Amino acid sequence: MSVAADAPYLDAAYTLAAYDGRPVMKLSSAKVTAPAAKKVYRRPGRADVIAPRGEAPPPC
């Protein structure tokens, strides 16, 4: 990973979903993210669908 010399930072967020093949989650009362690796399905004109990795994709 690299950044440009005139913008030496990365504006992003990272959430750990799994470690060593084991699902993990934050234990903060303000966070409500289910553990396990996820996949995002994007379809034109429709809302994104976030599902566990390995689950069948939603119908078109």
Side-chain angles (χ1 to χ4, degrees), residues 23-57:
V24 295
M25 66 184 289
K26 292 182 178 180
L27 298 177
S28 170
S29 61
K31 304 292 181 181
V32 198
T33 305
K38 319 250 185 334
K39 183 165 181 147
V40 176
Y41 296 97
R42 293 205 159 138
R43 301 169 292 176
R46 294 186 167 181
D48 293 346
V49 175
I50 300 174
R53 188 185 298 165
E55 184 176 290

